[in-house]
Structures are given as C-alpha cells and as structure tokens.
Amino acid sequence: MLKVSGLRVRFGVTMAIDGLDLAVAPGELFVLLGASGSGKSTLLRAIGGFVHPDAGRIELDGVGLAGMPPHRRPVNTMFQSYALFPHMSVAANIGFGLRMRGLAKSAIAARVTEMLELVRLRGFGTRMPAQLSGGQQQRVALARSLAPRPALLLLDEPLSALDRNLRRDTREELVRLQRDLGIAFILVTHDQEEALTMADRIGVMHRGRLMQVGTPAEVYERPNTRFVAEFLGAANVLSITLRDGRIGLSSGMTLHIATPVPADATWLAIRPERVIIGESDAPNRLSGVVVQRSYAGETLTHVVRLADGSMLRATAALRQGLNAVQVEIGDAVTLSWQPDACIVLAQ
Amino acid sequence: MLKVSGLRVRFGVTMAIDGLDLAVAPGELFVLLGASGSGKSTLLRAIGGFVHPDAGRIELDGVGLAGMPPHRRPVNTMFQSYALFPHMSVAANIGFGLRMRGLAKSAIAARVTEMLELVRLRGFGTRMPAQLSGGQQQRVALARSLAPRPALLLLDEPLSALDRNLRRDTREELVRLQRDLGIAFILVTHDQEEALTMADRIGVMHRGRLMQVGTPAEVYERPNTRFVAEFLGAANVLSITLRDGRIGLSSGMTLHIATPVPADATWLAIRPERVIIGESDAPNRLSGVVVQRSYAGETLTHVVRLADGSMLRATAALRQGLNAVQVEIGDAVTLSWQPDACIVLAQ
Amino acid sequence: MIAVLAIVWAWLLVLLVLPTLIVLKIALSYPADSVPPYAPMLPGLHVSTDAFALILSDPLYAQALLLSLKVAGLSTAICLLAGYPMALAIARSPERWRNLLLMLVMLPFWTGFLMRINAWIGLLQDDGWINTIIVMLGLSPLRLLYTDVAMYIGIVYTYLPFMVLPIYARLSQLDGRLLEAAADLGAPPWQVFGAVTLPLSLPGVWAGVLLVFIPAAGEFVIPELLGGPQAQLIGRMLWQEFFQNGDWPTASAIACALLALLLLLPAALLRVGRTTLSRRSS
Amino acid sequence: MIAVLAIVWAWLLVLLVLPTLIVLKIALSYPADSVPPYAPMLPGLHVSTDAFALILSDPLYAQALLLSLKVAGLSTAICLLAGYPMALAIARSPERWRNLLLMLVMLPFWTGFLMRINAWIGLLQDDGWINTIIVMLGLSPLRLLYTDVAMYIGIVYTYLPFMVLPIYARLSQLDGRLLEAAADLGAPPWQVFGAVTLPLSLPGVWAGVLLVFIPAAGEFVIPELLGGPQAQLIGRMLWQEFFQNGDWPTASAIACALLALLLLLPAALLRVGRTTLSRRSS
C-alpha cells in the first residue's frame, strides 16, 4: 500500500535520505530502526508531508503524495514527545482531527468516547494534558492520531519518553492494538529490543539508506553487514582469511560453517549467546582465559581473552541461578559454537 | 565512610525521603535504583547539600555534613544532563573545581591534562561544550567532577542521555574507571540492567524508602517484596495459599520449594528464564496452552495460559537460533521449574 | 539572600512607590500661589479633598476620561491588528533575520520621539507629501493634520513596538511540532492559526494590550501636537492644569484617578482572558 | 507565507523607515518663513547641505553631543548598578511574586511621565521634602532641583525599567543546575555569581545598556524640567531649534547625526561584547 522509490532528501550539503526504496504492506507493523542522525525521522516526515523530497516518489494505495500538503494526506503521525495541544482538554485533543474533517458534534463525541475506551482512559476527557502522567499522555497522543481512521499511522519514537517498565508493557499493548485495528504502522525507534519484539519487519537505517530489511529473526540471525550485526544486539566480530575456499581465523583455526563461503568474506560475527563455555559437541573450538564477568540477572556474560589477545564474549542464561555457575575469573576455558552460529560477512 | 541515618526530607505535604538509613563503604560502587519520583535524586541532593533534611544525619568519614554548604562538602556531583558551563572551554570546565580551591595555574593545567587523558579526550581542551557530541559531553562532566579528587562521587543518571549502544560501552568504562581510582561512587538510575551490571550493591528505592539493599544477585534472585521482584526484571507472580505448612497454587498443585515456608507467604514469584517448556526433571509442573510469543533476538518468550486462566511467561535463550524452537502458538505444553526458582513473598 | 531581597524591596519602595504616594499627597493639599503651587503639609496635616471633589463633580473630567479610554482602546485595537502579523512574520523569519527585523521595529523608539512627530507633521500637513500626491492625482487635498486621524496615526506609530515585542516573544517560543500536529490532523493553515497559534499567543497579546493601552490612555503630547482641539483627553487636561493653570493638586488628583483606573484594568482584562480560555477548553 | 512576509516588509518600510527618511529630507532642505518652516522640495530637488554644514562647523553642537554621550553613559552605568540587583532579586523570588514585582518595576511607566517629574520636583525643590528633613536634622538645606543630580535622578528613574526587564528575562532563563554545579565544585556564592551568573546574563546586560543609553542620549524633557541651564544636551538643542528657533532643517540634521551615531554604537558595543566573551573563554 505504501511505496517509496528512489527517495532523496538533502539538507544543505548533507544527504538525509540517499536513494531509498521501501514498500509497506496493508496491516503491517514496520519498524524503522536506526541511531540518531540515520535519517529515520526524516523519512517519516517525508511520508507525513513535512519534508519535501529532492527526488523520488511516495505512493499510498497507488496515489502519488508529491505536492500534497500534510493536512490532505490520509496519514496521521504520532509525534515524539506527543505534541498534545496544551490549551485543549483530552477530548478536544482527540476530537481535533474529526473537527477538521467537519464531522457532526454527536459523531465526534461518539468517536472520542470510543477512542478513550480503546486506550483505557474512560472518564479522562475533561482533563488537560498537563494533568496527565507520561503514560496517559502517550495514550492520548495515540488516540488522537487514530481517531480520524488513517490509512497508515506513523509513530515517531512512541515509547521513548516512558519509564523502562512502562515501556515494556506499552509495547505489547501497542502491538495488540495494531493487530486489532489492522491499520499499517510505521514505527521509528533507536531501541533494538523494541524493534525485535514489535516488528513484522524491520528496516535498519544508516546514513540515509536502508541497510537491510527483513523479519526480526532475519536481521538478527542473518545480518548482511558488520554494521547491522553490531547494531542489533551484541556481536563478537573476528577478522578472517580465506584459504582454499575455507575460512580461517588469525589463530590458525579452520572454521566449520553451515553456509557456502562467499568469495569476499572478511568478518566473522558470532552472537555471545551462541558461544558455549565448557562441555559441548560443537565443532568450532577455541580456548582462552576468563578476564571479566558481567551479571544482568537473567544472563551472565563472560569475557574471555583468546591466545592472540582478542576478546570473545559468551552469554549464558541463568536457568539455575548464579550459584550454579562454576566458571570464575582467571579460569582457563574452552569456547565452542555450532556451524550455524557463524555469520560470515563481506563488509 | 558515608553513613546516612534516619533521614527525612519533606516537600510540602509529601515525604520525599521517609526515614532512610544507608551506609556506603570506601571504594564501593553503590547504585540507587528506583522509578522517577521514588526519592533517589532527592537523596543524592541531600548528600550533595542542595536539599535540607528535616531530620536525620549524614556523616562522611565520621564528620556530620549537616549545615555545611555544598561548596564546602568534600563530595562532587556529576549532574544529569551534565550541567556543563556553556561559556567555558572544556579545559576551563574541568579546571573549575581546582580554580575554586585556589590551586596554582600550572598545577591546574597538569591536572586538566591528566583528566583529559583519563576520559580519552586529549586535545579537546580548547573546544566549547556545544561543539561536543553527547558522549564527549558526558566524559567532560565526569572529568570535571573527578578533577578535585572528591572523597565520594555522586552520579545522577550519568548515562541516561546516551544512545543505547553507547550506553552499554560507557557502562563498562565507568566501572573500570571507578575500580582504578578507588573512589566511592553513588550512582542513581532507573535502569535495572544498568544497576545489575554495574553495582557492587544495589539499593532499591520506592516512595522515599529503601525497599532492599544487597548485591545484584541478592536483589534479583532473592527479592524481599513483590515490588522489588517486579521492578528488577520480569517476574511471574502467582497468588498462593498455605495448607498444612505447604504452599499450594490456586490450581490445587502443591509447590516444592528450596527454603522454609514463611508463615505470612502470599505470593509466589518465578523469573521467566527459570521456567522450562517441555522435557525436564524439575518437580514443579503445570500445563497450559501457548497464546503468544515474543522474539528478542537473544531470547524467545512464550506466554502460556494456564488452566485457571492466569498467564505464565517462559523465556528461553536462543542458543541454537529461532529455527531450533519447536513450540508454536496454540500448542499444549508442560511448564516446569526447580524448587530454588521459587521466590516466596510475604508482601 | 534574604538581605538582598530586603534591600531590593526597600529600593522598589523608595524609587517607585514613594513618588506615587507624593502625587497622592499633592492631590490632597490646598492650591497656593507659591512655588511650588500648593501648600506644603509635611509639618502639619491639612488634608483637602477639594481637588478630588472638583474632578468628580465637573462632568468635563469624566468626559475627558471616557474619551481617553475610547482613544486608547481604538489605538490598541489598531496596534493589535497591525502588530500581530508583524510579530508572526518576524517569528517565522529565518533565525539570522530576526534580530535585524526586531531592530527595525524598535527604530522609531531610537529616532527620538520629537523627530518622529516632526516627520508625521511633514507628511500630514495641508501641503505635505500625502496631499501633494493627492493633488498630483487630480483630487482635492484632504485635511489630515490636527484631526483624529493624525492623532491615531501618531499614537499607533509610537506604541506599535510595545505590541509587537511581547507577541513576538510568545510566538517565538511556540513549539513548532504543535503546528505540525495540527496540520497532520487535517487542519489547513488558517485553522492551524485559529486553533493553535492564536490561542497559545494570547498571553503575549494581553501583555501587548496592557503595554499599549495604559500609556495611550494617559497620552498628552501626541494629541497636543497632532490632534485637533476637540480631542480633550485626560492627559491633555492634566498637562493644562499642571502647566497652564498651575493647579498641581487638581493635576495630581487626575493622575491618581487615572492610575487607579489603570491598575484595575489589568485585573479586569485578566479575568476576561481566563474566562475566554476556560470557555475554549471546555 | 512569502506573500505575508513581503507585506510585512513593506509595512515596516512605510511605517518605520519612511519617517526616518523624511527627517533626512527635511535636514537637506532650505529653511523658510512658511508653515512648515522649510521649503518644500517634492516637485523639484533643491538639496541644501547648509544644516549639516552648520552643525559640523559650530563647536556648540559637538560639545552638546559629547555632553549628551557623557550624561547617557553615566545614567546607563547607574541604571545598570541599580537594575542588576533588582533583576536578580526578582528572578530569585518565588514564582508567584515575580509578576507582582515586575509590575512594580513597570509602575513609573504607568503613572504618567509628567506626574513622575512633578513628584520629583516636589521632593527635590529648595523647600521640598528632602530639604525639610535635612533642616529638621539641623543641617543647612541643599540645592538639588535644577542641578545635574536632579537630572540624573530623573533619567535613571525613567529608564530603569528598560534595564531591569532584559536582564531579568535573561536571568530567569538561567539553568539553575549550572549554579548548583558551580557550588558543588567549591564555588562560594559570590564566585558562583562572578563565574556563572554574570557572564551568562551579559546578553541581557547589553540589551539593557542599549535600551537605556540610546533614548537617554536624545533626552530633552528631563534636562529641561529638572536639570540646570548649563546642561546643554543635544536633545535640548534639537528641541530649541525646533520649537523656539523654528529651524526645522537644523533640528532634523541634529536628529540625523544622533541617529547615525546611535546606529553605530550597538555595532561597537557588540564587538566589545564579543571580544570580552572570547577572551574569557580562551
């Protein structure tokens, strides 16, 4: 339904968006993931009509949006930090888009009540935004942008202003709402965990380009570049050499991998949770000394120094609690991983 | 070295700090963890001298700090969002505390150079704060507060303004620096992961009180209240009944636990990563239907509906990748957990 | 800190409140043929309410007061209509132009009050520039100088900066994302203005209205130099009592009455503003 | 948007720049015994530089200009010394008091210019309140009215609000955490002020200095009413040329010279300000 092709946006001398293609399906929850300055908000603003592209097309259901001012586009935005009208009540905020469409008062009131129910704020209609908590403001902003029944909802860091625990709960709520309504969402975030848990598909942005587009498991388990591998979760990255069509590490070890070796293979990435300390039947084995450990409640990460001085991180879930862990700092350990844990990267 | 006893701070009608005792050892990295409004920043400000307690004592190395103005206290603060002086260069910012102590120019210059090296900003002395990135500003703020060699450093959300990836790296750097310098840190944060990975000890604050103080593993694995259990990481909480000195769930199942049963046991908390789906020898067993799953790259969480309608979350590390997981939504599964995974709570 | 505050309060009292009290005191003394032209009363206390009785009994004063309020109200309305778009345009200008534009707005304030009036006389008089142009176009010349039109032009021109600046200050602080949010929700530009920009700039509007209305209500030089003889404003009567009649107690009584009225006005306006706002939001 | 901007620029040009040009035009015309007292020159173009030649050749004008700059400079300095603590105290006051305090500061602006001068005459004259108190204390009375002291009091009193307001605006925006950071790093209160508060309020100080200095340099009423006859300021000479001598071209030429000087001054001050700032930061 949304189709972006060849989009370019230039701010002065910098290319904010540099030749970008994207297609979002009806009812899809698409997450744009990137660091600040990657161009993800600019893309959202170009779709919303607040930024004028220098080249390229944006089409919604086959209709080109070029030259259409923001107030004519059948797209709504939920702004970062919400941009609630401070001089209007919650009900007036939610009903704003409906008033602008010239709906009858009774129809507006009915829809506002419906939206208040939807975001679990029944009875809050007469409050002013300043009287609400951060989480309540977030829900009002969501209700306001959903009230005019947009064909596509753009969400700019919708959870970034919330406390960590509230963020986790709101995440699930937002996904459930999106599924129920069937409206396509494009959600911008810099938080990888948010992207992985919420998205149907993720687009990883970097320097105005989409580096990779795919399902959460695709971009996490099969990143196509070193950048994506390191940006989405932690990754051990080792440099590799090609010998007779096989991959070798600097330590001399020859790798067992599950996929054909690309000709331009340069890096090997391994996720820390795929690295096993101690007993295992995995064919890729190295030894080293534990130099540091980091406890995170759910998991324990050991940092192991290899013979050549490089560091490898191994993360284990604490299924039996911290006391069950036998490895101490200073211990010599064997590290191993399965062939399918190897991510071979060209760049 | 720092000893806080019976501290009370009242703002109007609300008790920001409500009878608080705390002791921090020399060289310790103590983390105050709490949601916004829990009083953790107020405690920091009371130690720094910016808030006047209504009752209680604050002692540093045996000397009471009551009535001592902030500029006399041998304590420095690294402020949230840094509070760098915008009209002074980086070097002038770092040297400010030394100038106020009346050090000679050459001594100040030497110490400033040393601090710039310490935070890896050599050659940045003549820049203005506005010319620095967020991460560089953070390091200047740290250098500025460390330059006068405080006996105790207070850090108010030192990492909250950084991007997620930068935050993870900075965390380890900060801990290493603290170990090297041997200065006691009191660090305030609302981020549980930050607290668990950095702290020697954590104090969990709630409504102006310290709910629990202990090592990261103590507060995570043996929380003393339902609040602490749910605030630090995810937790499944089930209500329990006592029958003949044994604990029963509402489903009728009798629990095997590793500790004596307290007389006032009310809740059972189980960490999702301790719950096993499928084959296991764990004695606590329940069955249910998978209703939802949530992928986070490193882990996969299944939400299972039990016979009585309550939900239980089970998180498994993806050691073999997503493809190795056999469980689908709608499957009937058996859940089990070990006796020592049971956290029995009175309140 | 408390000491500093006490000193400053004392300072405010001496410098600002005391002169006002002195005016009140003069208003309550007897006129005299001395220099200054009122009976000193510091040693004894001979209070006379004659001056207040006079201005309350003679309808001339009440008429002048009403006329002043009308002139000030109309001038304020014109300043608002002219000043709001200026403030808006400056606030929407690129950052680097704003200070230049603000300096231009302040320009009349810098060129010296007298010279500005001087310039307007040159423009408005019977054979001045405007009439020269009118005659060149083949029309008959207009009487402009020494009319109400000239007086309003002078007042608006003098006080316009005081309307533009507070409105600009408010508009420049307006969160641009609110305007985008309104457009995003379907509001065309004029509705964005009416629903978001205008209501959120109202505090600046009220400040500008006060800053123009209050001095305009007491204005005496502009009506004297540009207005016609029929424009008997209260400020002009004050000037006449003071300089021409030498009746300081009456002049002071007029000043006190004006001040009292003008101190009540902000409170009234504030109440109107609040009512408007709360009606909007309900 | 562009159309709105164009309209506003045109508006600024007509309302603000044109009158200034007219003053320049009058300065360049011949004096005449007509009403207005200068030869109209719209149809033809008879430019006379006599007026500028006069004010450049006669040292009286240069002396008056220098004296004006001195009086304005000293008045500005006094306003700054008195106004800064007031602005600071207001900015540090509890939120709910601030508007009241700001209104008090604005009070002289509301009581009518003439009445304020009136009050000061009553205070300062030979048998006024101050001298009455001095005599009661057994001392001999002082000559206050029609002296430089009276003139400075009048100017400072009149322009003080223009110094207080921009400094207050700056101080009220000052991030309180910067002050806490300075104290935390060992700065006692006076060093916090010198190292953080003062340098960060400098833009407000420069604004206040401009807002006081510029009108004070052209002031004519206060020296006339309160000052002695020796205070031959440039604004007073302008007034005399205009009203007493009826020599509009010369009066306009003086106004133009003053305006040119005052337009150069901000640029010079700005440069001084920047140099000071960059020296501080290096």
Side-chain angles (χ1 to χ4, degrees):
Chain A
M1 47 134 24
L2 180 82
K3 208 165 166 305
V4 176
S5 41
L7 196 73
R8 270 174 223 282
V9 177
R10 190 196 301 269
F11 291 144
V13 293
T14 55
M15 271 292 189
I17 296 185
D18 192 5
L20 185 144
D21 301 294
L22 172 68
V24 175
E28 188 177 20
L29 202 170
F30 190 90
V31 172
L32 279 170
L33 175 66
S36 53
S38 61
K40 56 192 195 304
S41 286
T42 305
L43 176 55
L44 216 63
R45 290 171 59 76
I47 300 170
F50 299 108
V51 157
H52 298 292
D54 293 292
R57 285 184 61 77
I58 302 175
E59 275 175 31
L60 190 66
D61 296 325
V63 182
L65 296 184
M68 200 186 277
H71 67 275
R72 294 250 172 72
R73 300 196 179 196
V75 160
N76 282 158
T77 305
M78 183 181 156
F79 290 84
Q80 190 174 12
S81 62
Y82 319 139
L84 295 178
F85 304 124
H87 58 303
M88 295 182 199
S89 67
V90 166
N93 262 286
I94 297 176
F96 189 87
L98 307 169
R99 282 205 303 284
M100 292 303 128
R101 269 157 192 74
L103 263 70
K105 280 210 168 171
S106 58
I108 295 175
R111 179 77 177 152
V112 166
T113 308
E114 186 188 338
M115 297 314 297
L116 282 171
E117 297 272 347
L118 185 73
V119 298
R120 295 181 295 108
L121 282 175
R122 184 212 287 250
F124 280 69
T126 57
R127 302 266 189 108
M128 299 303 280
Q131 297 170 305
L132 303 181
S133 72
Q136 290 167 339
Q137 288 184 18
Q138 195 264 353
R139 271 136 66 198
V140 173
L142 184 65
R144 184 178 70 173
S145 55
L146 285 172
R149 304 178 202 273
L152 170 66
L153 186 66
L154 310 173
L155 303 97
D156 193 359
E157 302 266 7
L159 307 176
S160 65
L162 302 179
D163 262 9
R164 193 185 171 93
N165 280 336
L166 187 55
R167 198 152 65 216
R168 201 163 45 193
D169 297 343
T170 309
R171 223 187 258 165
E172 290 182 11
E173 203 178 306
L174 203 58
V175 173
R176 202 175 313 124
L177 206 81
Q178 193 267 340
R179 298 276 178 262
D180 291 350
L181 296 172
I183 295 175
F185 278 19
I186 299 182
L187 187 150
V188 154
T189 182
H190 67 277
D191 184 323
Q192 306 91 292
E193 202 183 315
E194 210 168 289
L196 288 170
T197 51
M198 296 180 76
D200 288 325
R201 283 191 305 150
I202 294 175
V204 182
M205 278 198 81
H206 184 51
R207 296 195 184 158
R209 292 165 188 272
L210 275 173
M211 302 292 284
Q212 188 173 4
V213 177
T215 65
E218 277 166 11
V219 290
Y220 185 81
E221 297 191 351
R222 295 197 299 282
N224 60 0
T225 51
R226 182 173 172 176
F227 172 82
V228 173
E230 291 187 312
F231 191 74
L232 263 120
N236 295 297
V237 177
L238 302 170
S239 67
I240 52 179
T241 47
L242 281 176
R243 266 183 253 108
D244 313 327
R246 305 199 67 180
I247 291 175
L249 293 185
S250 59
S251 59
M253 169 197 162
T254 300
L255 270 186
H256 301 263
I257 67 172
T259 51
V261 180
D264 51 0
T266 323
W267 305 106
L268 172 71
I270 313 161
R271 297 285 177 200
E273 73 271 15
R274 306 291 290 264
V275 179
I276 305 156
I277 294 187
E279 284 301 293
S280 95
D281 58 353
N284 296 302
R285 304 175 86 79
L286 281 172
S287 53
V289 176
V290 176
V291 291
Q292 194 188 321
R293 47 189 245 178
S294 167
Y295 177 75
E298 223 181 322
T299 58
L300 183 69
T301 299
H302 289 92
V303 183
V304 177
R305 191 188 306 130
L306 304 181
D308 64 352
S310 58
M311 302 284 184
L312 214 64
R313 303 171 74 91
T315 299
L318 292 172
R319 302 203 84 159
Q320 312 293 331
L322 188 59
N323 283 335
V325 177
Q326 307 289 338
V327 183
E328 297 290 333
I329 290 178
D331 287 3
V333 293
T334 302
L335 302 175
S336 59
W337 63 94
Q338 299 287 355
D340 70 351
C342 293
I343 306 167
V344 181
L345 299 167
Q347 42 169 325
Chain B
M1 49 135 21
L2 179 83
K3 206 162 169 307
V4 176
S5 42
L7 195 73
R8 269 175 224 281
V9 177
R10 189 196 301 269
F11 293 143
V13 293
T14 56
M15 270 291 189
I17 296 183
D18 192 4
L20 185 142
D21 301 295
L22 172 68
V24 175
E28 188 178 21
L29 203 168
F30 190 90
V31 173
L32 278 170
L33 176 67
S36 52
S38 61
K40 57 190 195 306
S41 287
T42 304
L43 176 54
L44 217 61
R45 290 170 59 78
I47 299 170
F50 300 107
V51 158
H52 298 292
D54 294 290
R57 286 184 59 78
I58 303 175
E59 276 175 30
L60 190 66
D61 295 324
V63 181
L65 297 183
M68 199 185 279
H71 67 276
R72 295 250 172 72
R73 300 197 179 196
V75 159
N76 282 157
T77 305
M78 182 181 156
F79 289 85
Q80 191 174 14
S81 62
Y82 318 140
L84 295 179
F85 304 124
H87 58 302
M88 293 183 199
S89 67
V90 166
N93 263 284
I94 296 176
F96 188 87
L98 307 170
R99 283 205 302 285
M100 292 304 127
R101 269 155 191 74
L103 263 68
K105 279 211 166 169
S106 59
I108 295 176
R111 179 77 176 151
V112 166
T113 308
E114 187 189 336
M115 296 315 295
L116 282 171
E117 297 273 347
L118 185 73
V119 297
R120 296 181 293 105
L121 283 175
R122 183 213 288 251
F124 279 70
T126 56
R127 302 266 188 107
M128 300 302 282
Q131 297 171 304
L132 302 180
S133 72
Q136 290 166 341
Q137 289 183 18
Q138 195 264 353
R139 272 136 67 198
V140 173
L142 184 64
R144 185 179 70 174
S145 55
L146 284 173
R149 305 179 202 274
L152 170 67
L153 186 67
L154 311 173
L155 302 97
D156 193 359
E157 303 265 10
L159 307 177
S160 65
L162 301 179
D163 262 11
R164 192 183 171 95
N165 281 335
L166 187 56
R167 197 152 65 217
R168 200 163 45 194
D169 298 342
T170 310
R171 224 187 259 164
E172 290 182 12
E173 204 179 304
L174 203 58
V175 172
R176 203 176 311 126
L177 206 83
Q178 193 268 340
R179 297 278 177 262
D180 291 350
L181 297 172
I183 294 175
F185 278 21
I186 299 182
L187 187 151
V188 154
T189 183
H190 66 277
D191 184 323
Q192 307 91 291
E193 202 184 313
E194 211 168 285
L196 288 170
T197 52
M198 296 179 75
D200 289 325
R201 282 191 305 150
I202 295 175
V204 183
M205 279 200 78
H206 185 52
R207 296 193 184 158
R209 293 165 187 270
L210 274 174
M211 301 293 283
Q212 187 173 4
V213 177
T215 66
E218 277 166 14
V219 290
Y220 185 81
E221 296 191 351
R222 295 197 298 281
N224 61 0
T225 52
R226 179 175 175 175
F227 173 82
V228 174
E230 291 188 312
F231 191 74
L232 261 120
N236 295 297
V237 178
L238 302 169
S239 67
I240 52 179
T241 47
L242 280 176
R243 264 183 256 107
D244 313 330
R246 307 198 66 180
I247 292 175
L249 294 184
S250 58
S251 59
M253 168 195 163
T254 300
L255 270 187
H256 301 263
I257 66 172
T259 51
V261 180
D264 50 0
T266 322
W267 305 105
L268 172 71
I270 314 161
R271 297 287 178 198
E273 73 272 16
R274 307 290 291 262
V275 180
I276 306 156
I277 294 188
E279 284 301 293
S280 96
D281 58 353
N284 295 301
R285 304 173 87 77
L286 280 172
S287 55
V289 176
V290 176
V291 291
Q292 196 190 321
R293 48 190 244 176
S294 168
Y295 176 74
E298 223 179 323
T299 58
L300 183 70
T301 300
H302 290 92
V303 183
V304 177
R305 189 187 308 127
L306 304 180
D308 65 352
S310 59
M311 302 286 184
L312 214 62
R313 303 169 73 91
T315 299
L318 292 171
R319 303 202 82 159
Q320 312 293 330
L322 189 59
N323 283 335
V325 176
Q326 306 289 338
V327 182
E328 297 291 333
I329 290 178
D331 287 2
V333 291
T334 303
L335 302 175
S336 60
W337 62 95
Q338 298 287 355
D340 69 351
C342 293
I343 305 167
V344 180
L345 299 166
Q347 41 169 326
Chain C
M1 192 61 220
I2 290 169
V4 172
L5 256 180
I7 290 170
V8 170
W9 272 98
W11 174 256
L12 275 171
L13 198 76
V14 169
L15 259 186
L16 308 175
V17 180
L18 201 61
T20 309
L21 290 180
I22 293 170
V23 173
L24 183 64
K25 184 249 159 201
I26 297 175
L28 290 171
S29 59
Y30 293 99
D33 262 339
S34 60
V35 173
Y38 60 90
M41 43 167 257
L42 201 68
L45 264 173
H46 310 282
V47 171
S48 154
T49 54
D50 290 358
F52 282 105
L54 175 69
I55 65 165
L56 286 176
S57 59
D58 190 335
L60 263 183
Y61 294 99
Q63 282 165 19
L65 195 65
L66 281 180
L67 185 61
S68 292
L69 293 182
K70 185 195 137 197
V71 169
L74 193 54
S75 304
T76 305
I78 300 171
C79 277
L80 181 58
L81 289 178
Y84 199 103
M86 288 173 70
L88 190 62
I90 297 173
R92 298 263 170 99
S93 298
E95 189 88 42
R96 63 187 183 285
W97 289 9
R98 285 190 209 159
N99 279 337
L100 178 68
L101 286 167
L102 283 176
M103 266 182 63
L104 274 177
V105 168
M106 297 292 290
L107 195 64
F109 176 64
W110 285 2
T111 51
F113 175 69
L114 214 62
M115 275 296 111
R116 282 174 275 147
I117 300 297
N118 176 345
W120 279 108
I121 292 176
L123 269 174
L124 297 171
Q125 66 203 350
D126 290 354
D127 56 352
W129 289 23
I130 291 173
N131 271 324
T132 309
I133 292 170
I134 288 176
V135 170
M136 280 165 78
L137 294 173
L139 304 169
S140 56
L142 297 172
R143 173 128 186 98
L144 294 168
L145 195 59
Y146 309 126
T147 64
D148 281 357
V149 172
M151 181 180 65
Y152 281 115
I153 289 176
I155 294 176
V156 168
Y157 179 70
T158 302
Y159 292 109
L160 192 59
F162 296 100
M163 182 65 81
V164 174
L165 291 183
I167 298 179
Y168 164 77
R170 200 77 200 176
L171 286 174
S172 67
Q173 282 168 18
L174 192 68
D175 184 352
R177 282 168 310 184
L178 295 180
L179 307 180
E180 289 191 351
D184 186 75
L185 289 164
W190 63 273
Q191 291 223 37
V192 173
F193 176 80
V196 180
T197 310
L198 183 61
L200 288 175
S201 67
L202 280 184
V205 170
W206 294 129
V209 164
L210 283 181
L211 285 177
V212 171
F213 186 89
I214 287 170
E219 184 57 50
F220 58 94
V221 180
I222 299 172
E224 186 77 30
L225 294 180
L226 295 178
Q230 79 290 354
Q232 270 299 339
L233 303 186
I234 193 76
R236 213 165 165 181
M237 293 188 79
L238 195 136
W239 173 276
Q240 285 159 0
E241 296 292 353
F242 191 58
F243 281 114
Q244 291 167 20
N245 305 347
D247 185 351
W248 286 33
T250 303
S252 297
I254 295 173
C256 288
L258 193 60
L259 180 63
L261 199 73
L262 295 181
L263 282 179
L264 290 179
L265 214 76
L269 270 178
L270 218 67
R271 176 156 302 179
V272 172
R274 286 221 181 104
T275 318
T276 314
L277 222 75
S278 61
R279 203 181 307 133
R280 279 203 144 267
S281 61
S282 66
Chain D
M1 194 58 222
I2 291 171
V4 172
L5 256 181
I7 290 170
V8 170
W9 273 99
W11 174 256
L12 275 171
L13 198 76
V14 170
L15 258 187
L16 309 176
V17 180
L18 202 61
T20 309
L21 290 179
I22 294 169
V23 172
L24 183 64
K25 183 250 160 201
I26 297 175
L28 290 171
S29 58
Y30 293 96
D33 261 341
S34 59
V35 173
Y38 61 89
M41 42 166 261
L42 201 70
L45 263 175
H46 309 283
V47 171
S48 156
T49 55
D50 290 359
F52 281 105
L54 175 69
I55 65 165
L56 286 176
S57 60
D58 192 335
L60 263 183
Y61 293 100
Q63 282 166 17
L65 195 65
L66 281 179
L67 184 61
S68 291
L69 294 181
K70 186 196 137 199
V71 169
L74 192 55
S75 304
T76 306
I78 300 171
C79 277
L80 180 59
L81 289 177
Y84 199 104
M86 287 174 71
L88 190 61
I90 297 173
R92 299 263 170 96
S93 297
E95 190 87 43
R96 62 187 183 285
W97 287 9
R98 285 192 208 160
N99 280 337
L100 178 67
L101 286 167
L102 283 176
M103 265 182 63
L104 274 178
V105 168
M106 297 292 290
L107 195 65
F109 178 64
W110 285 2
T111 51
F113 174 69
L114 214 61
M115 274 298 110
R116 281 174 275 149
I117 299 298
N118 176 346
W120 280 108
I121 292 176
L123 268 175
L124 297 171
Q125 66 203 350
D126 290 354
D127 55 351
W129 288 24
I130 291 174
N131 272 323
T132 308
I133 292 168
I134 288 175
V135 169
M136 281 164 78
L137 294 172
L139 303 169
S140 58
L142 296 172
R143 173 129 186 97
L144 294 169
L145 195 58
Y146 309 126
T147 65
D148 281 358
V149 172
M151 181 179 67
Y152 281 114
I153 288 177
I155 294 177
V156 168
Y157 179 70
T158 302
Y159 292 109
L160 193 59
F162 295 102
M163 182 64 83
V164 174
L165 291 183
I167 298 178
Y168 164 78
R170 200 76 200 178
L171 287 174
S172 67
Q173 282 168 19
L174 193 67
D175 184 352
R177 282 167 311 182
L178 295 181
L179 308 180
E180 289 192 351
D184 185 75
L185 290 164
W190 62 273
Q191 291 223 38
V192 173
F193 176 80
V196 180
T197 309
L198 183 62
L200 287 176
S201 67
L202 280 184
V205 170
W206 294 131
V209 164
L210 282 182
L211 286 177
V212 171
F213 186 89
I214 286 172
E219 185 57 51
F220 59 95
V221 180
I222 298 171
E224 187 78 29
L225 294 180
L226 295 177
Q230 78 291 354
Q232 268 300 338
L233 303 185
I234 194 75
R236 213 164 164 183
M237 293 189 79
L238 196 135
W239 172 277
Q240 285 158 359
E241 295 293 351
F242 191 60
F243 280 116
Q244 291 167 20
N245 305 347
D247 185 352
W248 284 34
T250 303
S252 297
I254 295 172
C256 288
L258 193 61
L259 179 63
L261 198 74
L262 295 181
L263 282 178
L264 289 179
L265 213 76
L269 270 178
L270 218 67
R271 177 155 304 180
V272 172
R274 286 219 180 105
T275 318
T276 315
L277 222 77
S278 62
R279 204 180 309 134
R280 280 203 141 266
S281 62
S282 68

